Amino acid sequence: MPSQPALVPEKDVQKAILALLRTKYADGRWDRFTPARFGRGGRRVKSANAGVADIIGCWRGRYVAIECKRIEGGGGNPDTKKAQTEYAVQVGNAGGLYILARSIDDVERAMRESFYPDQACCFEQTERGGSRDPKTR
């Protein structure tokens, strides 16, 4: 019986994506956003609305929201909640970019397709392994 690939926790996916954003897209602003409830003065206070993406930022004047999901062994449903779907629609309607990501590859693909739709080939690795990203040329 073949063994199941290990699940990669969502927090590890978030860390990897933030590392990518803060290096390759360092001229933007990137923050991990985790809505939480906490006690204050004996009562519970909600810090944000449900559905807000895990990573929010702005790059080249455009709002970017990234919802991170764990990497599962055999694909499957990204398990997006109703509030997350509604948030994705709102971001898109406002002209922002919403990315549902299981890996840095998902983020790279969405950024390339959104910001450089006519130059997608320029992001491919050259034969020597160097990036041909027009931003870094």
Side-chain angles (χ1 to χ4, degrees):
M1 173 189 239
S3 64
Q4 291 276 33
L7 296 178
V8 175
E10 184 175 314
K11 68 178 182 173
D12 291 346
V13 174
Q14 288 178 10
K15 286 179 187 178
I17 291 171
L18 271 172
L20 168 77
L21 294 170
R22 289 178 175 161
T23 54
K24 185 164 186 177
Y25 304 97
D27 55 337
R29 171 69 190 204
W30 307 105
D31 293 301
R32 183 170 173 242
F33 191 78
T34 307
R37 293 180 186 267
F38 54 92
R40 184 174 183 158
R43 64 176 201 250
R44 303 210 25 104
V45 177
K46 186 170 80 166
S47 67
N49 293 328
V52 175
D54 297 314
I55 299 171
I56 57 175
C58 185
W59 193 64
R60 297 199 171 172
R62 191 166 178 200
Y63 181 79
V64 179
I66 304 170
E67 178 62 35
C68 302
K69 296 295 179 185
R70 70 176 182 228
I71 299 173
E72 297 179 310
N77 185 345
D79 193 29
T80 306
K81 297 177 181 145
K82 182 180 177 190
Q84 292 170 331
T85 302
E86 290 171 358
Y87 179 75
V89 170
Q90 290 171 340
V91 168
N93 287 343
L97 173 62
Y98 183 89
I99 304 169
L100 182 62
R102 290 178 180 267
S103 68
I104 59 174
D105 292 338
D106 293 339
V107 174
E108 286 272 49
R109 185 178 316 106
M111 295 290 280
R112 177 178 61 238
E113 290 171 0
S114 183
F115 288 97
Y116 302 103
D118 298 330
Q119 300 175 4
C121 65
C122 297
F123 279 83
E124 295 174 7
Q125 297 290 353
T126 64
E127 289 179 359
R128 286 184 250 144
S131 175
R132 292 176 39 191
D133 180 344
K135 178 177 166 269
T136 60
R137 276 199 243 171

